[in-house]
Amino acid sequence: MNKNTETFLQMSRENLSKTISSSLTFNDTREEELINFTSFFFNTHISILFKYPTFILLTNMHSSMGYSTQSFSCLCLLLCFVCIQAQDLQTYIVQLHPHGATRTPFSSKQQWHFSFLAKAVSSGEQDSSSRLLYSYHSAMEGFAARLTEDEVELLRECKDVLSIRAERRLEVQTTYSYKFLGLSPTREGAWLKSGFGRGAIIGVLDTGVWPESPSFDDHGMPPAPQKWRGICQGGQDFNSSSCNRKLIGARFFRKGHRVASMTSSPDAVEEYVSPRDSHGHGTHTASTAGGATVPLAGVLRNGAGEARGMAPGGHIAIYKVCWFSGCYSSDILAAMDVAIRDGVDILSLSLGGFPIPLYDDTIAIGSFRAMEHGISVICAAGNNGPIQSSVANGAPWIATIGASTLDRRFPASVQLGNGKFLYGESLYPGKKVPSSRKSLEIVYIRDKDKGSEFCLRGTLSKAQVRGKMVVCDRGVNGRAEKGQVVKEAGGAAMILANTAINLEEDSVDVHVLPATLIGFDESIQLQNYLNSTKRPTARFLFGGMVIGKSRAPAVAQFSSRGPSYTDPSILKPDLIAPGVNIIAAWPQNLGPSGLPEDSRRVNFTVMSGTSMACPHVSGIAALLHSAHPKWTPAAIRSALVTTADTADHLGKPIMDGDAPAKFFAAGAGQVNPGRAIDPGLIYDIQVDEYITHLCTIGYRNSEVFSITHRNVSCHDILQKNRGFSLNYPSISITFRKGMTRKMIKRRVTNVGNPNSTYSVDVVAPEGVKVRVKPRRLIFKHVNQSLSYRVWFISRKKIESKRMSFAEGQLTWLGVRNKATKVRSPISVTWASMK
């Protein structure tokens, strides 16, 4: 197969993945199953095309479809042109030296950027500037443009070009959760101390916003802060009057998406060319972070309560970067570039992919610039759990958030014909629909060639399912979509059965027909019952909403896990927050299931994912910023990490499945806003310390420059900073072959009472001896900093072919104020490589 064909195949695979994945609702947390299915479908079908020359295929089209010779010739030319364009032109992000010598002759940075295109693009093309998509100035110096591979190679040789990165496509990854986290409008705590986040500006990069949602009502809100420089960008069904004192700004970025997605949205949902949200994900996350108070909020009379964002007094700025085909890195970087200049205080990014090196990661690079400007960047850890080292957005200047559960349940049990009960959950309003409780015959159609066990479109026969309760396995297509497929085939109800991949994960949906989700253990019991009788039957028992009767929080199974692939010396994720079955605002162009066919309309719906966990922490970070406006992003992250809870609401360890959660799953633990607002001590980090850290983990000078825009010599830095360890609030130690001792240094700053004394308490990891010096810290005034050292001595032999891990913790306890506990998790790794 020649190179062009391989390129075409790869592009076709990617486009097919985009097309199929776009049919999923964003709250489907098993997208890796979809990708596997896409690859299988492509490899078994598309190869047929390459058994025949293209000309034969076109000739067959000519004869069978009745084209005239002239029309056919035009068609051939058009197809050839499109193929050449599709194969040759791609979007690249070109990073330039911020103080480049070639900049001087040009009147503006954009003209400077144009000059590089003029050098690279063929002289036969009259207007090379049309290739430019974005000019970047704040998040990075450089531009995004459509280029061929040859043009990329020419640009690489140009002076002041630091790096060129191909476009990367990322994916988007609460009536009760504020109460679950201990936030109260009446008791003294984080809300009252911060004025409910008053004055803080939360920038949300997502799918846009539905501005008419009651969660964005600005009643009682003050005007935007004077520093705000953003705009309310008009567009399709969106104008400047769509913004208010709550929703103070909105922009959209689609150039990267537009050139990468040559076709229109594959579903029936209209894609608004404006900040207006077509998919609901952005409306949901924005309202979770900073939504206003909305009484009597719920989903079709389920989960009713008073909805509030984490920072209900904060302002929201929307940056729409995600579209039907995903979120493109050129658009994301453009949004971060503008948000920095607009004056946001918090950036919330519920999007990401699998981890890549920091110097290739546009989010890591853009967030470094944001951090330099005092902006806290909060990112989702990703939904690729429980795969080890799947955690994304792992830069040490980013707060990386995993997902946890609530103690709120929506029981919808299945009573089998033999009298046994299977526990399930659903947000279908079955309690209000008497017919949903009828006993029905169960069918489970297994045709692996068609995928009927997954209830894929076109795989269910009406003759087999009409009027029956259909069992659908999870995987491949969206959970709610399966119910629509059953409904269209004439089925009366659905049991959605978890597989060995999903285990007991309980992400619920607002199904379009009576349905419930059962765990893997219940799925096995259901199969046993189906095999035991010729005419199995069942009925549903919908229980509404139940609070406080289940253990929580627990780590969501889909939440991505550490250790960090990009930087194992930093413990990621940092912490967890509610991300399962979160009820928040929803647009009026979609039904609560998110399906185009769903004609129901609601102001709120339920979603699950680290996408939902991220804005919880973004809102809480806004509270900390309001209460402590001079704190750095590192100080805010430190307060969140060192005060996180390691126990659930029953006082028992937070669980991950059937076992206590490890740090690689839960980070420091569950976010606790009440304690984070007054942490006692913080671990602050200066910008130069991040640079030193990048040198210590082996980054080259050019790679450090790509991230930081600082021209440094790592050799000199390492010589001056022997034994350096980043002043991170968590501790991660690796013993490689031949190592038995390691020392780290930490520095804590008093942000509590002026005269404070702390004593250390250490729970040593198994196989490690830990010594701390000094064991007591005495502070005389606020903002005083003191240092301590920790020695780790390994008593364990390193196994030759595998890594092993152990955990412990180091806590500074207030001597006078016993309630103040500043806890750092300790993670130890033994690796066989040197």
Side-chain angles (χ1 to χ4, degrees):
M1 192 180 294
N2 63 38
K3 185 178 180 182
N4 287 340
T5 301
E6 288 178 338
T7 303
F8 178 76
L9 277 168
Q10 180 60 33
M11 290 175 63
S12 301
R13 281 192 184 94
E14 292 172 357
N15 287 333
L16 182 61
S17 296
K18 293 173 190 175
T19 301
I20 297 179
S21 63
S22 64
S23 67
L24 282 180
T25 54
F26 284 123
N27 59 320
D28 194 335
T29 56
R30 312 309 306 174
E31 288 189 4
E32 67 274 15
E33 300 166 26
L34 172 76
I35 300 304
N36 294 334
F37 173 77
T38 303
S39 299
F40 166 79
F41 180 89
F42 182 89
N43 291 325
T44 55
H45 291 75
I46 202 71
S47 58
I48 297 170
L49 293 174
F50 294 94
K51 291 182 180 178
Y52 306 99
T54 306
F55 179 75
I56 294 175
L57 289 173
L58 292 173
T59 302
N60 289 339
M61 287 171 59
H62 174 216
S63 59
S64 64
M65 299 178 72
Y67 288 117
S68 69
T69 303
Q70 185 179 12
S71 299
F72 178 65
S73 299
C74 290
L75 175 63
C76 288
L77 288 170
L78 178 62
L79 286 172
C80 290
F81 176 76
V82 170
C83 285
I84 290 169
Q85 290 293 307
Q87 289 183 52
D88 286 351
L89 286 178
Q90 292 187 61
T91 301
Y92 291 89
I93 297 173
V94 181
Q95 186 173 9
L96 303 177
H97 195 297
H99 310 295
T102 59
R103 161 74 174 88
T104 308
F106 299 97
S107 59
S108 69
K109 286 190 175 182
Q110 190 172 55
Q111 289 300 318
W112 182 37
H113 297 169
F114 280 141
S115 73
F116 287 94
L117 284 177
K119 293 175 189 175
V121 174
S122 166
S123 58
E125 188 168 328
Q126 292 183 346
D127 184 15
S128 60
S129 64
S130 64
R131 299 272 205 94
L132 186 77
L133 301 181
Y134 295 108
S135 280
Y136 305 121
H137 310 296
S138 299
M140 188 183 80
E141 185 61 58
F143 59 90
R146 298 282 282 167
L147 300 166
T148 66
E149 289 184 10
D150 290 342
E151 290 164 352
V152 168
E153 292 309 311
L154 281 173
L155 278 176
R156 288 192 197 279
E157 301 302 318
C158 290
K159 188 176 182 181
D160 291 332
V161 172
L162 294 179
S163 65
I164 303 178
R165 303 175 184 88
E167 177 85 287
R168 186 170 175 239
R169 185 170 68 90
L170 306 179
E171 301 288 346
V172 292
Q173 301 270 355
T174 116
T175 57
Y176 173 67
S177 58
Y178 70 87
K179 294 180 183 177
F180 184 73
L181 293 174
L183 290 168
S184 169
T186 54
R187 296 198 315 269
E188 184 172 349
W191 269 354
L192 294 182
K193 289 180 179 179
S194 68
F196 296 85
R198 185 182 179 91
I201 304 172
I202 307 168
V204 181
L205 275 66
D206 214 296
T207 64
V209 68
W210 194 266
E212 295 82 9
S213 167
S215 289
F216 306 116
D217 182 85
D218 67 350
H219 178 72
M221 288 290 298
Q226 287 188 350
K227 69 168 187 171
W228 176 244
R229 296 181 295 278
I231 63 169
C232 197
Q233 183 181 2
Q236 186 179 357
D237 290 344
F238 200 98
N239 54 47
S240 59
S241 64
S242 299
C243 295
N244 56 25
R245 288 172 297 177
K246 163 62 75 174
L247 183 63
I248 61 173
R251 301 177 186 260
F252 65 99
F253 303 82
R254 66 185 290 262
K255 294 177 181 178
H257 154 75
R258 189 182 69 238
V259 298
S261 309
M262 308 307 285
T263 58
S264 61
S265 174
D267 55 34
V269 176
E270 183 180 10
E271 187 77 78
Y272 297 102
V273 184
S274 74
R276 185 171 290 279
D277 189 1
S278 303
H279 300 285
H281 192 274
T283 300
H284 199 280
T285 56
S287 66
T288 301
T293 301
V294 182
L296 303 175
V299 188
L300 301 176
R301 294 172 290 181
N302 268 326
E306 189 172 67
R308 294 175 187 248
M310 296 298 103
H315 303 283
I316 297 171
I318 296 296
Y319 301 87
K320 182 177 178 178
V321 298
C322 297
W323 306 81
F324 73 86
S325 60
C327 322
Y328 290 88
S329 54
S330 59
D331 296 330
I332 295 167
L333 192 59
M336 297 180 81
D337 196 65
V338 171
I340 292 170
R341 296 197 296 273
D342 283 350
V344 301
D345 300 307
I346 312 293
L347 274 176
S348 183
L349 287 81
S350 289
L351 44 92
F354 278 98
I356 58 173
L358 300 181
Y359 51 80
D360 277 334
D361 187 344
T362 50
I363 290 179
I365 293 169
S367 61
F368 189 91
R369 275 309 88 59
M371 175 272 299
E372 286 185 301
H373 285 81
I375 301 167
S376 292
V377 182
I378 318 295
C379 291
N383 296 339
N384 295 308
I387 300 171
Q388 186 173 312
S389 294
S390 59
V391 62
N393 298 315
W397 45 87
I398 290 174
T400 311
I401 313 303
S404 62
T405 62
L406 299 171
D407 63 353
R408 177 178 60 187
R409 297 287 184 263
F410 302 97
S413 297
V414 183
Q415 184 179 16
L416 302 176
N418 61 7
K420 291 186 177 179
F421 290 88
L422 303 178
Y423 180 77
E425 291 199 47
S426 177
L427 261 175
Y428 181 81
K431 205 169 182 181
K432 310 291 183 181
V433 183
S435 61
S436 66
R437 299 193 290 272
K438 286 196 327 184
S439 181
L440 300 169
E441 183 180 350
I442 308 175
V443 292
Y444 178 48
I445 302 169
R446 284 168 282 195
D447 186 339
K448 292 188 177 179
D449 292 334
K450 290 184 177 181
S452 55
E453 68 271 25
F454 295 111
C455 299
L456 305 179
R457 291 190 182 274
T459 64
L460 299 181
S461 163
K462 289 189 177 183
Q464 290 177 295
V465 306
R466 188 184 298 278
K468 297 176 182 177
M469 184 179 291
V470 183
V471 179
C472 300
D473 287 344
R474 274 189 70 177
V476 184
N477 57 342
R479 299 186 303 267
E481 182 186 330
K482 296 173 189 291
Q484 182 65 32
V485 171
V486 171
K487 183 179 181 180
E488 290 174 356
M494 175 182 71
I495 299 175
L496 184 56
N498 275 359
T499 65
I501 295 175
N502 314 107
L503 296 177
E504 306 310 309
E505 182 192 308
D506 58 352
S507 300
V508 302
D509 298 277
V510 191
H511 291 285
V512 296
L513 82 174
T516 191
L517 169 70
I518 61 173
F520 182 53
D521 290 345
E522 286 78 9
S523 297
I524 294 173
Q525 295 179 50
L526 176 61
Q527 291 296 332
N528 291 336
Y529 170 64
L530 295 178
N531 294 332
S532 71
T533 180
K534 290 183 178 180
R535 191 179 182 279
T537 61
R539 69 186 187 104
F540 290 143
L541 299 174
F542 291 97
M545 179 178 70
V546 176
I547 290 176
K549 293 190 176 180
S550 55
R551 285 186 64 176
V555 177
Q557 195 203 2
F558 58 76
S559 188
S560 289
R561 313 302 167 100
S564 170
Y565 167 78
T566 54
D567 186 358
S569 66
I570 299 296
L571 181 60
K572 292 287 183 174
D574 287 295
L575 64 160
I576 54 175
V580 178
N581 302 334
I582 303 303
I583 294 175
W586 194 245
Q588 285 289 302
N589 68 320
L590 287 171
S593 67
L595 297 172
E597 302 89 346
D598 190 352
S599 61
R600 300 171 296 177
R601 292 295 179 261
V602 293
N603 283 321
F604 295 86
T605 199
V606 65
M607 298 184 83
S608 295
T610 54
S611 282
M612 284 64 252
C614 170
H616 278 87
V617 179
S618 301
I620 294 167
L623 300 181
L624 301 191
H625 176 81
S626 295
H628 309 285
K630 293 184 179 180
W631 278 11
T632 65
I636 289 174
R637 183 182 56 241
S638 171
L640 294 168
V641 168
T642 60
T643 59
D645 291 330
T646 58
D648 62 23
H649 281 202
L650 297 180
K652 298 179 180 179
I654 291 174
M655 300 296 285
D656 179 14
D658 295 330
K662 301 294 186 183
F663 295 152
F664 292 145
Q670 173 90 345
V671 65
N672 184 326
R675 292 186 58 213
I677 202 86
D678 187 14
L681 305 175
I682 51 138
Y683 292 82
D684 208 353
I685 302 174
Q686 303 305 313
V687 174
D688 287 347
E689 293 177 285
Y690 287 118
I691 295 171
T692 303
H693 173 73
L694 292 174
C695 291
T696 64
I697 62 175
Y699 278 21
R700 298 192 294 265
N701 295 346
S702 59
E703 293 165 345
V704 173
F705 193 93
S706 290
I707 299 167
T708 66
H709 283 184
R710 305 291 183 92
N711 195 8
V712 301
S713 166
C714 277
H715 178 269
D716 293 346
I717 286 175
L718 293 175
Q719 288 291 319
K720 295 175 183 176
N721 294 275
R722 293 184 181 276
F724 174 85
S725 55
L726 189 66
N727 199 45
Y728 212 72
S730 58
I731 298 170
S732 186
I733 300 294
T734 298
F735 288 110
R736 303 193 183 278
K737 197 170 183 179
M739 292 175 58
T740 57
R741 298 171 63 90
K742 199 154 190 177
M743 185 273 289
I744 65 157
K745 184 179 178 181
R746 288 291 190 268
R747 180 185 68 254
V748 287
T749 302
N750 179 30
V751 293
N753 295 324
N755 294 296
S756 301
T757 301
Y758 291 84
S759 61
V760 73
D761 178 73
V762 176
V763 177
E766 186 177 352
V768 179
K769 182 180 178 181
V770 180
R771 286 176 37 223
V772 182
K773 218 172 185 183
R775 298 188 61 83
R776 181 169 284 223
L777 299 174
I778 302 172
F779 295 92
K780 300 297 185 183
H781 53 81
V782 176
N783 295 323
Q784 179 185 358
S785 295
L786 296 174
S787 296
Y788 66 91
R789 296 173 188 265
V790 188
W791 286 264
F792 297 89
I793 301 98
S794 173
R795 294 173 168 174
K796 184 176 179 179
K797 289 185 178 179
I798 296 177
E799 298 181 27
S800 57
K801 293 185 179 180
R802 52 175 297 194
M803 289 194 296
S804 56
F805 307 94
E807 297 181 348
Q809 62 183 38
L810 182 154
T811 308
W812 289 101
L813 305 172
V815 173
R816 295 187 183 90
N817 184 359
K818 304 291 185 183
T820 304
K821 299 177 181 179
V822 186
R823 175 183 162 273
S824 293
I826 301 171
S827 175
V828 177
T829 301
W830 287 268
S832 58
M833 65 187 76
K834 289 190 176 182

